[in-house]
Amino acid sequence: MAVPTEGSPLRPGMSLVSIGDSFTEGVGDPYPDGSGFRGWADRVAEHLADHLGEVRYANLAVRGKLMRQIVTDQLPPVLEMGPDLVTLCAGGNDLLRPAGDPERMAKILEHTVARLRERGSRVVLFTGVNVANGYMRGTIGLFARYYMNVRAIADAHDCLLVDQWSMKVLTDSRAWDADRLHMSPEGHRRLALRVAEVIGVPVDERWDEPWPESEPMARAQLLREDLTWVKESLGPWIGRRLTGRSSGDTITAKRPELTTLTKDR
């Protein structure tokens, strides 16, 4: 069993709530039975249950949501629950849009964090992964500015910070799903190990284990994969933006209320 450190929220029966968008919903990491997505947040809750014996867990994250939607729809129920620990990652979908403003996003984030801290919740914040190639090349500067603000907010409000920017292992293509926007199951698994480490939960595996050697892909195969990605992922994504639709328009939170997880599940 994990031994909570001074000021740590870790204790048997503690409550954890995760809020955000597809990153926290777990898109890219489906459950084997097809019941939905698992993702790093569910995996962290399972780690907590394994080491504490029992935790209460809710996940309100919904794919495609913008910062203000997360604050409007997800923050009120979290404040009502008053959990011991909240994971919060938001703003990525905003910054992928033409009017994305990292400083404005940071102000909203800081206000949200302040409200959670006032209620006594410990907060876990995230930077993103330093992926500066492909379609991200033109926006990585905006994201870097936002993540500098996230670090400052974490310092100012005594938050825990999961700095994915420094996790070079996540820049490998195998950490990402075929849509190149969401993490793969292995990416989610590695991130969950890092989050558990940050919040003080011991784990038996290394998140930074080097990837196995792989053969370089032939140029023709790379081109075929690029074309498939444009047709199956990029095209539909652009179409939704042009028509004002979101991938989360018909989706509801997968764990809207605190439910108990035990070591035996």
Side-chain angles (χ1 to χ4, degrees), residues 21-27 37-39 59 61-63 251 254:
D21 52 28
S22 58
F23 170 71
T24 303
E25 184 188 345
V27 174
F37 291 105
R38 187 184 186 189
N59 188 322
V62 175
R63 69 197 74 170
I251 305 297
K254 62 180 181 179

Side-chain angles (χ1 to χ4, degrees), residues 5-261:
T5 58
E6 184 179 356
S8 168
L10 303 184
R11 58 176 177 78
M14 67 168 286
S15 52
L16 165 67
V17 179
S18 295
I19 61 176
D21 52 28
S22 58
F23 170 71
T24 303
E25 184 188 345
V27 174
D29 183 20
Y31 278 104
D33 63 2
S35 60
F37 291 105
R38 187 184 186 189
W40 64 265
D42 285 15
R43 291 172 182 266
V44 168
E46 292 162 10
H47 282 305
L48 281 166
D50 288 342
H51 290 282
L52 297 174
E54 178 180 298
V55 298
R56 293 180 300 142
Y57 171 56
N59 188 322
L60 308 184
V62 175
R63 69 197 74 170
K65 296 304 180 182
L66 301 172
M67 174 77 84
R68 288 212 175 269
Q69 292 173 311
I70 292 168
V71 172
T72 300
D73 300 338
Q74 299 176 28
L75 182 60
V78 176
L79 294 173
E80 186 174 339
M81 293 177 197
D84 298 296
L85 187 66
V86 177
T87 71
L88 167 59
C89 187
N93 288 321
D94 298 81
L95 294 177
L96 285 172
R97 293 170 181 253
D101 183 337
E103 279 67 44
R104 181 168 60 87
M105 292 300 99
K107 289 180 180 178
I108 299 172
L109 180 68
E110 182 160 28
H111 178 69
T112 303
V113 168
R115 294 183 67 187
L116 290 167
R117 295 294 285 135
E118 287 170 1
R119 290 299 300 266
S121 297
R122 195 74 193 274
V123 180
V124 183
L125 297 178
F126 297 77
T127 69
V129 180
N130 184 10
V131 179
N133 53 17
Y135 72 97
M136 286 294 295
R137 181 171 299 179
T139 60
I140 196 64
L142 287 176
F143 279 86
R145 281 166 51 193
Y146 180 57
Y147 299 145
M148 289 178 68
N149 281 291
V150 171
R151 291 188 182 97
I153 293 168
D155 287 342
H157 295 274
D158 191 26
C159 300
L160 298 169
L161 179 67
V162 179
D163 185 13
Q164 296 183 91
W165 193 269
S166 64
M167 296 175 66
K168 295 187 183 301
V169 70
L170 295 183
T171 63
D172 190 287
S173 62
R174 287 169 286 188
W176 296 89
D177 191 38
D179 66 6
R180 304 182 185 180
L181 185 62
H182 302 102
M183 286 185 177
S184 66
E186 179 62 11
H188 279 282
R189 187 188 73 84
R190 288 176 181 254
L191 178 58
L193 292 171
R194 177 56 180 150
V195 176
E197 184 178 84
V198 167
I199 65 179
V201 178
V203 293
D204 298 327
E205 301 167 281
R206 288 177 50 192
W207 60 266
D208 58 350
E209 186 73 31
W211 293 91
E213 292 291 332
S214 61
E215 293 292 327
M217 195 175 293
R219 184 178 181 85
Q221 178 63 24
L222 288 171
L223 180 59
R224 283 195 295 272
E225 291 198 357
D226 285 346
L227 292 174
T228 299
W229 171 71
V230 169
K231 178 181 178 181
E232 298 182 358
S233 299
L234 181 61
W237 183 84
I238 292 174
R240 289 194 298 272
R241 294 299 175 274
L242 292 176
T243 57
R245 292 177 293 120
S246 167
S247 57
D249 284 345
T250 60
I251 305 297
T252 57
K254 62 180 181 179
R255 291 177 178 264
E257 299 178 352
L258 286 168
T259 56
T260 299
L261 291 180

